[in-house]
Each structure stands twice: as structure tokens, then as C-alpha cells.
């Protein structure tokens, strides 16, 4: 085992026969994130059925998304796509009056070569609502990459110049005024590490996070005197951040490589390539990297990270020395594996749908470093994995935990392999120092469940051990 | 001028796409593997089966992925390779190549792939013959089941050795029990029990748990049972035409229809005996025995008949209800409510548009109006207009009911995980009548209770005085803190507030800002 330690990262590629969510699933969290949006998925019954079942209960909450369901007439081009889409978009405008309609192109629109990008600008000017087109289809992308296609498309819509003094500025001023007053007051706020704001070029963060997590990350940077000028996406479409040549951008999720490329090439922004703020180690590395690029010496970060780790001790005791196998389906795998190795776990395999080695360079370097520092072998990274082969490997390795999709979770559990459903990492709050605990809460759940069921002797619940 | 409007705005569908029906049939059989010709992410069926049915085994469905590469060059060897690979890995009896909406438009010659793979493969290989844009999940399931049965029986027929001999004792095949079906497993058990009572043995149950190698035995049964309208009729019709097997397609749901079902079964058995010149079996020499059985079961084994007479049920008389679901369940429940419980059905409806005429015929005279639609907004509007005292529908109607404050009993797919109970909950047969009576009664009482509570202002005053220790006024919440607190979901907000204030007290902080909140979270551990 120790021989592997000095080996560099290696990447394998299998058949791509793996289970993951269709990228159109990104509408589930994006319509909630962008409050004034409406997502129109242009696809077939198959797409609709997936959304309906995958999003379960959300469907009943009158979501701001719908299917433009293509039928045989649409496919054989007997109908005028433009007229059809116009009719639906007018209906959406009338019913919901959104600030933006996002068209999600699917496999079907790709195959029949429906020219969504061509139709959108015409329709946009006709109905007076911006139409953003994202091709989040299963021919090209996996699961979370759907968000990447939407954000890349939205990056084009960000303004280049700050609008002349708006109410927002007033609010900001009033807010800082209030803060000054509070500082003068007798009661010191909790975080004593507050610094004066540093003068630095504008910084825009990209990646869709629940607003409370976005607030936490912004605050983390504020502690270093760094101001976040905006987020892509913002809470509202009408609040998209200003992007122009001098702006620095930094990603918060590992699956945003197209968005990063678009920001660099099309909007001339400068990309800060950092590990992702997932886990206490990742968050610290992320803040440090931003600080170093913006010329700020980070303060108190080491202590902060130390405190977080101390607070996690009860979980760490559970995971130390345990082994993990990532089957791979959401592109968060490298960051999560890196964090878990730092927690003392051994990772056998990191399956991942797609590996952008440039966008994830800093994360991969941190993974490598973490493996060295924790003195564990570097896990194999398997791109486009083959689930069938992976199951064979899981049987052989008998990991303490397999992080996998729902399709495999119950069958593996029935064979005595503990599993954690990978999609939960996409929907849980896992970013920043504060949420390191939530990651471990998820990871240890099967381990804790095992503890409470221990001694019952029912680990294998299938008749033959096939 | 009126051009047919095709593109539809929708976010809910009652019946799924065709391939789901094929996959449900394929994965119900033992040792049958389905390979979908589909893009990444279309294998969501595996998640549904694994989660809803809580299946212990890997779902025998894989995808032959259609990606950008395939789009440019065609699948070429890929599909054939995937079939042959699966053949070696799992040695299934049968591999069903399943087209999806994507492959339908690609128009690749999948039959050619199947023919080529079949030559090398040990497994049998067939292409599911379903058109994605013409049929839905249920129609496709019906079609695929018939296709598989036909495939094996026709092959058997070509063999000289194939002779059909009927079983000595009366026996039946049960056709149409399958995975992800609404309470199908429980129904199957109940049917077996009922047939056992009638002295009839079970020959084969298909597709659930059936083996394709046993399909050649299907014609040995005296007759076929098709408990559900949606899936199995095509197979039964084929077997009738080719092997002269009669079938019963009365759904034994509710007391009246269960009795009708039993009488029909009795008549068929007698007719078969006559046809085969067999002596009349013990105990079935006359209809009297069957009638006695029905009477006993109805009056004393099932509680439903007594329940209808009881005071409880009297209170339901004339109450308005709406029924919506698949053809089988919506029709049967309508009949039970109207005929067996005296409830007033304002509207009965189904999303099985393909079978609208049959449905109309079934509920004719039992309801004020009939609604045939697969558009959930129409159903919602109808319910809002009628304002029934209870709804009996699918999960969609349950949610419509929630919004309108009308109780709903779920009687039909599409369903959620709670409709796959572990306990014994048949809808068919005599035990089924008990289950249905409970379901109906519970829906209505809840509604009544709710109504009374509304009138008298509820059990409790709604403003609950907080039991937390942290209500002392030494704290002020800053505006950003309050705003942040409001973003936290209601059910944990109280806990977060208490923990934050506790933290603030311990640290002598009086002004609670958003920073304090997160510092508290870190200290307290969520």
C-alpha cells in the first residue's frame, strides 16, 4: 500500500455506462434560486416523467417550470416550432410574468436540430421577456453539469456596467451606516475578527447556492476584508452581477467549467483557480487562494479551521480509518473525497462523470497533497465509470461506505454494503466552514445507523450472494 | 384555420412514457434483462424500482448510451456489443432491447441489431415493439407482455414436440401482476387465496416472478384471469384466439364485482368440464355451492357488507365524492361508493383515454358526470367547482385536495412510496373490500372532524405560547439576523432561534446579527 503513496494522480476512463440524473434536473434548484425565473424544458414525455418523479413533492408546489411536451407532429416538423413556443411563452407570461424564461434544450431538440438559439432572440423581442437558452441534455452532460450550461448561458446576460445609482446602493450605504453605529455601541458582535474593507478589484462568485450558504461564504470573505460584488446567479435575474474586463471570478462548485470558460473568454474576467469551499480544508484553501490573488494576507484562517475541526471530533472518531468508494454521478466527488481523506478516511475509488483537469487543477493538487500528508494511497480516479464493473470492485474491496445513486443503494445495502445516496450531497448545504458538519452528518449516517442495528445479525438480506 | 395544437405545456402526467411500460414488464420476469437505447440519465426507472418497491436486487435494466458520438455516427456495433456483454455477464434467458423517445427519432434499425446479436447470444433477444409517440406506459406494458408471450409460444409451436395438455384439476393463469403496479403484490396474494378457496390451482402468474422458460406452460391452464383492465388483455386475447383459452376480465374489487367474478369463474370451469367431458368436480356440482360461498364471504368474512349497514356508513349517505384514476380502479371504486355505500358520485373520471368507451359504460348511471382527460389542471378545476366532501384519486388528486382542504384517499397510480405499504393491503377480493372500506371511511371522517373543528375553532388556540427559555428581552435581533432567521425552514426555526440566543447569552452578546447566528451554529453544532 505504501508504494502507491508516491505515485502521482492517474486517470482512468471506462465505458460511461453509469447511472446519473439527467442534467435537466438542474431546473429543480435553479427555479428556486432565481426567484423571478421560469424554466421551460423543451422535450418529450420521458423528460417530463423524470422531472415529475425525481422532484417528487416539489411538483405539487406549483413550480415555476413546465414542459413544452413535444409530440409526433413536432418531431416530424409538421408544426411550426416558433409559433408553438411563442404560444406557450405568451401563456407563461400571462400566468406568471417572469423576468426571464429559460429554455432547456433536451436530447430531442438536439436530434431534431430545433434551432432554439436562433428562435430565442426573435421571440424575446416579440414578447418582451429575456429568453436564455441552455442545452442541458443527456447526450452531452451529466446531472449537475445542467447548472453549468444554464449559468454559462446566463453569463452572457450579465451587465457590463453598473447601472446608475440605484436603490441598492442606498441600501448598502444604510447598511454600512447601521454597522458603524453598532460598532460604536457597547456590545461587540460575535466575530471579533472583523477587518476594514480592503481596496481590491471586483470579485464575482459563480455557482448556485442556497442564499444562506451564499451569505456564509460572503461573510467568510468579508472577514478578510474582501467584498463580494455579486453572484452568478443572483437571487433575482434582474440582479445579475456586473461582469467586465477587470472583474475577478471564482467558482464555488467543481462542475462549473463551461461557465468558467465563458467568463474568461467571453466576458474577459480573470478566473481564480482555487480548490472548492467544501469541507473545512477546502474552505480555508479557497479563501486563501482568493486572498492571495487579491493581495490580501489572510488572518485567523488557520485558527478558524482548527476550531472547526475540533468541533467535528465526535464525527471524526466515527469515520477515521474507514474506507469509501465513490461510484460517481455529480462531479462533487473529488472535493468530497479530498475532505474525507483529510477526515482520516481511505478512499478506494473516485468515480466521476467528467473531469476537467484544468478547472479542477487546484482541487486535484490539494487532493494529492492531502493524500501525502495523511499518508494514504492516492485513490484511482475513474472518469465515465462503468457501474457494472464498479459493483464487481465494490464486492472485492468491501468498502465501509459506498457513495452511490439510488439505483444501486438498496441492492448494495441488501448485500451488506453501507451506502450513502450521492444526490443528497447536491441538495444539502455542504459549502463553507459552517457546513463541514453537514457533510459528515450525511457521511456518518449509515455508519451511525449500523451502530444502532449492530448485533442483530441481519446484514446480508439476499438469498444468494450474487 | 384551426391547426391542431401539439406542443403541450405540462408538468405532471398520469401515465409515463412507453419505455417505462416495457421496462416494468421486463423487470417483473425473472432473469430477463432490458437494454435501453437511450441517452445518459434515462435510466431513472432503476431508481423508481429500487426506491418505490424497495427492491433488494439490482434492477435488470441497463442503457446502451446514446451520446454525441452515436448521434454523429450511429450506434453501429455499440448496441450489439452491449447485448452480447450482458449475455455473458448475467446469462439472462431473454434480453429485451427497449427503444426510447430518443431512439425513435434516430430511426436506427434496431431490429437489425437484435437479429445480429441473437445469432451470437445464448440469451434470446427481442426488440420491444412499441411506438413512443403513439402509446403510453400502460399500453406499452400490455403490448410488451403479449409480445413476449407470443414470442415463446410461437417458437414452441414450431417444435414438433409441442402438445398442449390441460391440467387435470381446474387451473388458471393470472396475467398482469407486475412491478410498480398499485398494490399488485397484495392483490396477487388475495387472488391466489380466493382461487384456492374455489378449488382452482394457479398455473402461472405473469409477468411478476414468472420465468420466460415457463411461458410454454401457459396453455395448460383452463382459463386466464386478467384482474386489471390496463395490462394483460392483449395477452389473454391472444391466448384465447390461438389456444381457445377463455378469460375472465371482471375486476374482483368490491363485494358486487367480486361475486360477479366468482360466478364467471364458476361458469367457465363448468363449461370447460363439459367441453373436456370431465365429471363435475367435488363441491361444484351446482351453482348452489358457489352462491353459498359468496354469501358466506359477503356476509361474514368481509366486513364491508355489514359496514354499509352500520350507523357509521349511514352518515356517509348522499355525501359528494369525486373519483379519478386509471380505468380499473376509478371504475371499481365508483361502483363501490355508489352501489355499496350510497355515496353520491359527482364526477368519475379516468386518464386512460385509450379506454374511454369502456369506462363510460362501467360508470354509466352511477355518477353525475364523467371526465376523460390526462390533463391534471382539468381535474383540479373540476374538483374545485364541485367541492366534494372527499376525493378518491391518485397522488395528484391528493395534492389538489390538500390545496383545497378536501381529504383524499389514494386509489390508483401514479403513486408515491407510501402507496407501497409493507403490510398486507390488497384492493381485490374479500380482504380488499375491508381495506377499501377503511380507506373510504377514514377519508370521510377526517373530513368531518376537520369541518367540526373549523366550526368550533379547533382543538387548541392557535397561538402557542413558546416553551423556550429564551424569550427574555435582553436580546435584540438585528435586521439581517431576523431576515436570515426567516429564511430558515419553519420547522427548525424555533430551534435555531433558541440555540442562537443561548449562545449569545453565554457569550454576553446582546445584538444578534447574522454573524452571531452562524457562530452559534458552529459552536452548537447545528
Amino acid at each position: 500500500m505504501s508504494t502507491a503513496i508516491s505515485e502521482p494522480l492517474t486517470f482512468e476512463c471506462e465505458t460511461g455506462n453509469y447511472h446519473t440524473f439527467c442534467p435537466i434536473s438542474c431546473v429543480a434548484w435553479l427555479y428556486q434560486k432565481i426567484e423571478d425565473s421560469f424554466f421551460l424544458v423543451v422535450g418529450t414525455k420521458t423528460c417530463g416523467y423524470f422531472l415529475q418523479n425525481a422532484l417528487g413533492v416539489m411538483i405539487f408546489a406549483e413550480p415555476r417550470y413546465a414542459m413544452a411536451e413535444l409530440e409526433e407532429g413536432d418531431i416530424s416538423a409538421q408544426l411550426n416550432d416558433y409559433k408553438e413556443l411563442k404560444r406557450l411563452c405568451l401563456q407563461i407570461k400571462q400566468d406568471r410574468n417572469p423576468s426571464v424564461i429559460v429554455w432547456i434544450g433536451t436530447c430531442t431538440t438536439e436530434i431534431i436540430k430545433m434551432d432554439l438559439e436562433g428562435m430565442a432572440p426573435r421571440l424575446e423581442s416579440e414578447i418582451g421577456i429575456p429568453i436564455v437558452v441552455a442545452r442541458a441534455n443527456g447526450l452531452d452532460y451529466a446531472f449537475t453539469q445542467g447548472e453549468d450550461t444554464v449559468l454559462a448561458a446566463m453569463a452572457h446576460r450579465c451587465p457590463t456596467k453598473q447601472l446608475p445609482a440605484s436603490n441598492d446602493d442606498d441600501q448598502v450605504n444604510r447598511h454600512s451606516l447601521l454597522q458603524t453605529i453598532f460598532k460604536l455601541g457597547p456590545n461587540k458582535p460575535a466575530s471579533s475578527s472583523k477587518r476594514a474593507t480592503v481596496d481590491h478589484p471586483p470579485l464575482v462568485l459563480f455557482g448556485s447556492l442556497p442564499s444562506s450558504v451564499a451569505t456564509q461564504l460572503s461573510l467568510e470573505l468579508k472577514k478578510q476584508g474582501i467584498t463580494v460584488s455579486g453572484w452568478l446567479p443572483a437571487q433575482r435575474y434582474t440582479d445579475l452581477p456586473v461582469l467586465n474586463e477587470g472583474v475577478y471570478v471564482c467558482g464555488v462548485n467543481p462542475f462549473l467549467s463551461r461557465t468558467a470558460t465563458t467568463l474568461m473568454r467571453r466576458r474577459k474576467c480573470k478566473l481564480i483557480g482555487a480548490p472548492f469551499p467544501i469541507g473545512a480544508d477546502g474552505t480555508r484553501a479557497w479563501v486563501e487562494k482568493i486572498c492571495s490573488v487579491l493581495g490580501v494576507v489572510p488572518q485567523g484562517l488557520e485558527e478558524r479551521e482548527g476550531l472547526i475541526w475540533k468541533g467535528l471530533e465526535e464525527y471524526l472518531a466515527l469515520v477515521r480509518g474507514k474506507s469509501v468508494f465513490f461510484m460517481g454521478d455529480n462531479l462533487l466527488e473529488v472535493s468530497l473525497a479530498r475532505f474525507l481523506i483529510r477526515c482520516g478516511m481511505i478512499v478506494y475509488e473516485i468515480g466521476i462523470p467528467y473531469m476537467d483537469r484544468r478547472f479542477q487543477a487546484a482541487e486535484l493538487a490539494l487532493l494529492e497533497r492531502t493524500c501525502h500528508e495523511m499518508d494514504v494511497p492516492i485513490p484511482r480516479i475513474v472518469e465515465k465509470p462503468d457501474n457494472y464493473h464498479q459493483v464487481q470492485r465494490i464486492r472485492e474491496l468491501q468498502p465501509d461506505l459506498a457513495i452511490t445513486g439510488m439505483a444501486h443503494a438498496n441492492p448494495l445495502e441488501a448485500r451488506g454494503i453501507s451506502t450513502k445516496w450521492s444526490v443528497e450531497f447536491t441538495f444539502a448545504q455542504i459549502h463553507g466552514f459552517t457546513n463541514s458538519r453537514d457533510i459528515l452528518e450525511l457521511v456518518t449516517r449509515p455508519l451511525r445507523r449500523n451502530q444502532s442495528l449492530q448485533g442483530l445479525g441481519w446484514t446480508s438480506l439476499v438469498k444468494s450472494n450474487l | 384555420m384551426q391547426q391542431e395544437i401539439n406542443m403541450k405545456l405540462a408538468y405532471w402526467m398520469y401515465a409515463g412514457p412507453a419505455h417505462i411500460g416495457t421496462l416494468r414488464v421486463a423487470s417483473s420476469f425473472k432473469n430477463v434483462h432490458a437494454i435501453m437505447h437511450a441517452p445518459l440519465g434515462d435510466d431513472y426507472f432503476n431508481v423508481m424500482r429500487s426506491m418505490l418497491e424497495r427492491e433488494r436486487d439490482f434492477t435488470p435494466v441497463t442503457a446502451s448510451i446514446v451520446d454525441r458520438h452515436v448521434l454523429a455516427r450511429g450506434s453501429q456495433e455499440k448496441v450489439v456489443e452491449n447485448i452480447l456483454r450482458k449475455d455473458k455477464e448475467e446469462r439472462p434467458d431473454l434480453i429485451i432491447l427497449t427503444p426510447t423517445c430518443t431512439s425513435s427519432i434516430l430511426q436506427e434499425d434496431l431490429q437489425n441489431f437484435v437479429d445480429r446479436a441473437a445469432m451470437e447470444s445464448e440469451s434470446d433477444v427481442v426488440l420491444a415493439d412499441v411506438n413512443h409517440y403513439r402509446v403510453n406506459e400502460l399500453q406499452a406494458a400490455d403490448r410488451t407482455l403479449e409480445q413476449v408471450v407470443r414470442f415463446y409460444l410461437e417458437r414452441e409451436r414450431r417444435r414438433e414436440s409441442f402438445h398442449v395438455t390441460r391440467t387435470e384439476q381446474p387451473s388458471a393463469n393470472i396475467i398482469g401482476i407486475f412491478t410498480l403496479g398499485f398494490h399488485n403484490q397484495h392483490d396477487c396474494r388475495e387472488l391466489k387465496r380466493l382461487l384456492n378457496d374455489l378449488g382452482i390451482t394457479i398455473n402461472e402468474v405473469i409477468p411478476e416472478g414468472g420465468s420466460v422458460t415457463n411461458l410454454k406452460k401457459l396453455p395448460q391452464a383452463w382459463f386466464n384471469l386478467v384482474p386489471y383492465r390496463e395490462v394483460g388483455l392483449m395477452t389473454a386475447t391472444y391466448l384465447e384466439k390461438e389456444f381457445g383459452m377463455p378469460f375472465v376480465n371482471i375486476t374482483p374489487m368490491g363485494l358486487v364485482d367480486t361475486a360477479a367474478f366468482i360466478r364467471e369463474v364458476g361458469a367457465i370451469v363448468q363449461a370447460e368440464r363439459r367441453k373436456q367431458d370431465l365429471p363435475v368436480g367435488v363441491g361444484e356440482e351446482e351453482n348452489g355451492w358457489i352462491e353459498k360461498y359468496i354469501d358466506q364471504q359477503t356476509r361474514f368474512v368481509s366486513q364491508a357488507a355489514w359496514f354499509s349497514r352500520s350507523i357509521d356508513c349511514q352518515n356517509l349517505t348522499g355525501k359528494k365524492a369525486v373519483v379519478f384514476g386509471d380505468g380499473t380502479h376509478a371504475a371499481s371504486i365508483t361502483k363501490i361508493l355508489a352501489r355499496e355505500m350510497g355515496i353520491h358520485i359527482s364526477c368519475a373520471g379516468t386518464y386512460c383515454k385509450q379506454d374511454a368507451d369502456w369506462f363510460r359504460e362501467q360508470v354509466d348511471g352511477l355518477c353525475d358526470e364523467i371526465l376523460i382527460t390526462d390533463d391534471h389542471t382539468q381535474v383540479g378545476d373540476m374538483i374545485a367547482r364541485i367541492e366534494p366532501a372527499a376525493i378518491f384519486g391518485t397522488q395528484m388528486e391528493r395534492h389538489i385536495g390538500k390545496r383545497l382542504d378536501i381529504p383524499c384517499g389514494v386509489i390508483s397510480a401514479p403513486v408515491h412510496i407510501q402507496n407501497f405499504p409493507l403490510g398486507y393491503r390488497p384492493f381485490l377480493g374479500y380482504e380488499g373490500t375491508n381495506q377499501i372500506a377503511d380507506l373510504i371511511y377514514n377519508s370521510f371522517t377526517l373530513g368531518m372532524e376537520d369541518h367540526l373543528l373549523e366550526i368550533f375553532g379547533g382543538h387548541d388556540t392557535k397561538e402557542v405560547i413558546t416553551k423556550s427559555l429564551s424569550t427574555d428581552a435582553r436580546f435584540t435581533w438585528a435586521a439581517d439576523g431576523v431576515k436570515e432567521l426567516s429564511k430558515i425552514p419553519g420547522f427548525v426555526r424555533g430551534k435555531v432561534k433558541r440555540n442562537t440566543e443561548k449562545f449569545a447569552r453565554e457569550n454576553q452578546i446582546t445584538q444578534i446579527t447574522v454573524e452571531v447566528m452562524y457562530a452559534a451554529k458552529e459552536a452548537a453544532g447545528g
Side-chain angles (χ1 to χ4, degrees):
Chain A
M1 264 195 141
S2 57
T3 49
I5 289 174
S6 54
E7 280 172 18
L9 290 178
T10 50
F11 301 88
E12 293 167 46
C13 187
E14 284 189 314
T15 61
N17 237 319
Y18 63 101
H19 164 76
T20 183
F21 274 19
C22 173
I24 60 172
S25 52
C26 68
V27 306
W29 63 89
L30 287 176
Y31 91 79
Q32 297 197 16
K33 172 71 191 177
I34 309 169
E35 289 168 359
D36 52 352
S37 63
F38 191 99
F39 284 77
L40 184 66
V41 182
V42 188
T44 59
K45 254 184 182 317
T46 305
C47 312
Y49 196 67
F50 163 70
L51 283 177
Q52 170 175 328
N53 285 294
L55 310 189
V57 119
M58 273 193 255
I59 294 284
F60 302 110
E62 293 217 32
R64 286 189 320 282
Y65 79 78
M67 290 287 311
E69 199 183 301
L70 301 171
E71 300 201 335
E72 204 163 17
D74 304 297
I75 309 294
S76 53
Q78 287 163 355
L79 297 166
N80 186 328
D81 298 330
Y82 183 81
K83 265 164 60 189
E84 290 291 302
L85 280 169
K86 183 177 167 186
R87 181 177 57 79
L88 296 185
C89 287
L90 281 171
Q91 194 184 328
I92 291 165
K93 184 183 177 183
Q94 194 198 332
D95 295 350
R96 304 296 186 95
N97 194 29
S99 311
V100 62
I101 297 176
V102 183
W103 285 354
I104 302 288
T106 61
C107 302
T108 311
T109 58
E110 288 296 312
I111 296 170
I112 63 174
K113 298 195 168 45
M114 191 184 274
D115 182 20
L116 295 176
E117 275 98 342
M119 286 188 274
R122 255 176 76 202
L123 192 53
E124 178 169 322
S125 62
E126 260 193 89
I127 68 170
I129 294 180
I131 294 173
V132 172
V133 181
R135 302 163 151 206
N137 62 70
L139 296 167
D140 299 302
Y141 306 108
F143 194 13
T144 49
Q145 287 179 293
E147 172 180 322
D148 194 23
T149 63
V150 173
L151 296 190
M154 230 164 238
H156 293 282
R157 302 304 183 105
C158 293
T160 44
K161 255 192 258 139
Q162 187 73 58
L163 295 169
S166 68
N167 290 339
D168 284 359
D169 287 342
D170 283 350
Q171 258 174 15
V172 171
N173 288 336
R174 209 177 310 128
H175 187 66
S176 55
L177 184 70
L178 278 173
Q179 274 184 337
T180 336
I181 293 169
F182 287 142
K183 265 183 205 156
L184 292 173
N187 307 305
K188 262 179 83 188
S191 50
S192 48
S193 58
K194 216 163 239 168
R195 293 169 69 170
T197 313
V198 186
D199 210 17
H200 62 80
L203 171 69
V204 168
L205 301 179
F206 59 96
S208 161
L209 294 177
S211 72
S212 54
V213 180
T215 311
Q216 286 167 34
L217 288 180
S218 298
L219 279 173
E220 215 56 70
L221 291 170
K222 202 171 120 200
K223 282 183 186 152
Q224 304 300 336
I226 294 168
T227 314
V228 177
S229 330
W231 282 82
L232 172 68
Q235 203 67 23
R236 298 181 66 80
Y237 177 76
T238 47
D239 294 340
L240 281 179
V242 173
L243 292 177
N244 51 38
E245 196 151 354
V247 172
Y248 279 85
V249 291
C250 187
V252 298
N253 267 322
F255 45 78
L256 298 170
S257 53
R258 279 173 66 91
T259 309
T261 313
T262 309
L263 292 172
M264 285 192 294
R265 297 210 183 131
R266 307 297 297 272
R267 307 307 306 255
K268 308 289 177 219
C269 301
K270 294 196 181 70
L271 178 70
I272 302 177
F276 300 98
I278 291 168
D281 52 341
T283 308
R284 176 180 163 194
W286 182 75
V287 176
E288 272 176 348
K289 185 64 190 285
I290 294 173
C291 284
S292 83
V293 172
L294 298 180
V296 175
V297 180
Q299 279 179 16
L301 262 186
E302 205 178 327
E303 296 78 29
R304 182 139 168 70
E305 193 200 346
L307 269 175
I308 295 289
W309 284 115
K310 237 167 94 185
L312 297 176
E313 188 46 45
E314 47 171 328
Y315 290 104
L316 297 177
L318 280 171
V319 300
R320 252 181 224 122
K322 299 252 164 45
S323 53
V324 194
F325 191 108
F326 283 89
M327 285 186 82
D329 69 350
N330 58 17
L331 285 92
L332 295 172
E333 292 87 0
V334 175
S335 309
L336 288 171
R338 178 260 302 149
F339 172 61
L340 294 183
I341 291 170
R342 178 60 71 184
C343 290
M345 298 186 88
I346 299 152
V347 177
Y348 289 143
E349 175 164 330
I350 305 177
I352 186 166
Y354 168 73
M355 183 76 239
D356 184 333
R357 285 185 228 176
R358 276 206 303 186
F359 183 59
Q360 294 225 40
E363 184 62 86
L364 288 168
L366 183 57
L367 170 72
E368 213 173 344
R369 206 171 73 222
T370 305
C371 288
H372 288 308
E373 287 173 8
M374 299 303 290
D375 200 25
V376 293
I378 289 175
R380 60 195 287 186
I381 299 177
V382 182
E383 242 186 301
K384 295 167 127 247
D386 184 298
N387 280 167
Y388 183 84
H389 294 149
Q390 284 185 314
V391 169
Q392 310 295 320
R393 292 199 286 272
I394 287 176
R395 272 176 195 154
E396 219 161 277
L397 295 164
Q398 294 284 317
D400 295 307
L401 183 68
I403 296 181
T404 176
M406 285 278 215
H408 293 96
N410 270 340
L412 285 173
E413 289 281 356
R415 283 156 184 79
I417 303 281
S418 294
T419 61
K420 184 77 218 127
W421 185 35
S422 53
V423 173
E424 282 188 71
F425 292 100
T426 336
F427 294 120
Q429 307 194 346
I430 60 167
H431 293 75
F433 285 122
T434 319
N435 294 317
S436 304
R437 172 180 295 272
D438 296 61
I439 304 176
L440 285 178
E441 178 72 24
L442 288 178
V443 168
T444 57
R445 198 169 293 156
L447 304 173
R448 284 178 284 131
R449 192 263 328 264
N450 290 355
Q451 273 187 341
S452 45
L453 301 188
Q454 219 167 34
L456 294 175
W458 303 326
T459 41
S460 177
L461 291 158
V462 281
K463 280 177 186 155
S464 62
N465 209 16
L466 273 173
Chain B
M1 176 220 124
Q2 185 69 48
Q3 186 195 21
E4 199 197 340
I5 291 166
N6 265 42
M7 212 181 271
K8 282 201 301 195
L9 199 58
Y11 62 87
W12 171 267
M13 64 188 77
Y14 286 103
H19 71 269
I20 298 287
T22 296
L23 297 181
R24 283 176 63 187
V25 167
S27 58
S28 294
F29 277 116
K30 271 191 302 206
N31 212 25
V32 170
H33 199 100
I35 295 183
M36 302 164 70
H37 187 236
L40 194 65
D42 270 4
D43 59 352
Y44 192 73
F45 173 77
N46 297 31
V47 176
M48 290 178 62
R49 185 155 181 275
S50 174
M51 292 310 295
L52 297 177
E53 293 269 27
R54 300 179 185 88
E55 190 46 66
R56 298 172 199 220
D57 285 317
F58 292 97
T59 299
V61 173
T62 44
S64 174
I65 304 282
V66 176
D67 55 15
R68 190 53 71 179
H69 206 63
V70 168
L71 208 57
R73 304 172 52 233
S75 294
Q76 299 196 349
E77 300 304 312
K78 199 171 177 181
V79 175
V80 178
E81 276 164 18
N82 278 317
I83 294 173
L84 294 177
R85 181 184 151 184
K86 199 42 70 182
D87 173 48
K88 290 209 176 62
E89 281 169 357
E90 314 236 314
R91 292 276 170 227
D93 297 321
L94 170 68
I95 294 173
I96 301 182
L97 182 61
T98 310
T100 59
C101 59
T102 307
S103 55
S104 301
I105 358 174
L106 283 177
Q107 298 191 324
E108 286 193 271
D109 190 356
L110 296 182
Q111 187 59 56
N112 173 37
F113 297 150
V114 162
D115 294 342
R116 277 165 51 201
M119 284 192 285
E120 275 186 62
S121 137
E122 301 256 316
S123 322
D124 299 316
V125 191
V126 301
L127 171 66
D129 176 26
V130 290
N131 181 322
H132 216 276
Y133 292 94
R134 307 252 165 103
V135 297
N136 67 24
E137 171 183 1
L138 297 169
Q139 294 164 293
D142 199 15
R143 172 80 191 99
T144 302
L145 183 57
E146 190 246 15
Q147 192 190 352
V148 171
V149 168
R150 184 188 286 264
F151 176 83
Y152 280 99
L153 283 174
E154 281 181 3
R155 190 167 71 182
E156 215 50 49
R157 269 184 162 177
R158 286 194 294 271
R159 294 192 178 142
E160 297 240 324
S161 56
F162 183 60
H163 297 291
V164 177
T165 40
R166 295 273 148 103
T167 55
E168 268 177 43
Q169 291 304 310
S171 65
N173 299 315
I174 303 177
I175 301 176
I177 304 285
F178 69 149
T179 193
L180 293 173
F182 185 72
H183 294 243
N184 274 17
Q185 313 273 16
H186 313 281
D187 283 349
C188 186
R189 213 170 117 191
E190 187 63 19
L191 274 179
K192 285 179 180 171
R193 199 165 83 171
L194 181 57
L195 291 175
N196 187 46
D197 282 355
L198 299 174
I200 294 162
T201 57
I202 308 294
N203 187 50
E204 292 286 323
V205 178
I206 58 165
E208 185 62 50
S211 163
V212 288
T213 53
N214 279 350
L215 290 176
K216 56 175 181 280
K217 294 189 193 155
L218 279 176
Q220 293 174 5
W222 288 24
F223 63 103
N224 292 312
L225 294 177
V226 185
Y228 311 112
R229 179 77 192 165
E230 286 74 22
V231 177
L233 267 186
M234 277 181 83
T235 307
T237 311
Y238 164 76
L239 291 170
E240 182 183 49
K241 189 164 158 265
E242 299 296 327
F243 297 92
M245 299 176 74
F247 66 89
V248 181
N249 67 332
I250 297 170
T251 301
M253 201 186 303
L255 289 170
V256 176
D257 279 355
T258 301
F261 169 88
I262 293 171
R263 288 190 190 104
E264 175 98 358
V265 167
I268 282 183
V269 170
Q270 282 192 11
E272 284 297 300
R273 282 196 195 286
R274 275 198 297 276
K275 225 195 294 177
Q276 296 178 46
D277 249 350
L278 285 169
V280 175
V282 189
E284 20 174 310
E285 51 284 327
E286 54 209 308
N287 277 344
W289 181 83
I290 290 230
E291 289 304 327
K292 222 163 143 192
Y293 174 78
I294 292 172
D295 182 62
Q296 281 289 314
Q297 294 286 321
T298 305
R299 289 197 297 139
F300 304 111
V301 176
S302 164
Q303 301 295 315
W306 156 236
F307 172 71
S308 311
R309 297 290 302 190
S310 73
I311 299 299
D312 272 341
C313 204
Q314 207 178 75
N315 284 340
L316 301 182
T317 308
K319 284 221 171 296
K320 273 198 295 188
V322 159
V323 183
F324 194 84
D326 64 24
T328 302
H329 290 85
S332 295
I333 296 291
T334 301
K335 288 189 237 172
I336 293 170
L337 289 169
R339 290 195 305 214
E340 299 178 23
M341 290 181 153
I343 288 159
H344 182 105
I345 309 294
S346 304
C347 180
T350 181
Y351 56 83
C352 294
K353 286 157 80 178
Q354 72 274 9
D355 215 10
D357 292 340
W358 174 84
F359 185 79
R360 284 202 186 86
E361 197 182 292
Q362 293 293 304
V363 301
D364 183 41
L366 298 175
C367 56
D368 299 344
E369 55 180 300
I370 295 170
L371 180 64
I372 311 283
T373 181
D374 55 5
D375 177 354
H376 69 92
T377 56
Q378 272 192 45
V379 180
D381 290 346
M382 175 269 289
I383 293 171
R385 172 171 53 82
I386 290 174
E387 287 191 73
I391 310 165
F392 298 93
T394 71
Q395 278 292 337
M396 189 70 218
E397 283 68 48
R398 194 170 74 83
H399 284 266
I400 293 170
K402 261 192 192 166
R403 207 177 302 156
L404 300 172
D405 251 338
I406 301 170
C408 177
V410 175
I411 53 126
S412 159
V415 285
H416 285 335
I417 192 153
Q418 64 264 41
N419 304 111
F420 290 89
L422 300 174
Y424 188 48
R425 301 273 162 73
F427 269 61
L428 301 186
Y430 287 109
E431 178 54 28
T433 61
N434 292 336
Q435 297 291 336
I436 292 170
D438 277 344
L439 177 76
I440 292 172
Y441 183 67
N442 289 341
S443 304
F444 276 109
T445 22
L446 290 178
M448 282 266 280
E449 237 168 62
D450 237 28
H451 191 58
L452 289 172
L453 288 177
E454 198 72 15
I455 293 171
F456 295 108
H459 283 301
D460 266 326
T461 47
K462 281 188 180 156
E463 222 44 62
V464 179
I465 295 156
T466 179
K467 286 181 184 145
S468 71
L469 301 167
S470 57
T471 45
D472 54 296
R474 287 190 297 133
F475 304 102
T476 37
W477 279 76
D480 62 344
V482 173
K483 197 172 156 219
E484 197 62 24
L485 190 64
S486 70
K487 285 183 207 155
I488 291 163
F491 58 95
V492 286
R493 198 179 296 145
K495 187 183 165 209
V496 170
K497 185 164 184 267
R498 280 195 298 280
N499 285 345
T500 309
E501 291 182 353
K502 184 164 159 255
F503 172 83
R505 196 179 310 112
E506 281 163 6
N507 290 278
Q508 280 94 48
I509 298 163
T510 55
Q511 174 77 23
I512 298 179
T513 61
V514 66
E515 275 113 312
V516 179
M517 283 180 68
Y518 289 115
K521 187 184 181 200
E522 282 158 27

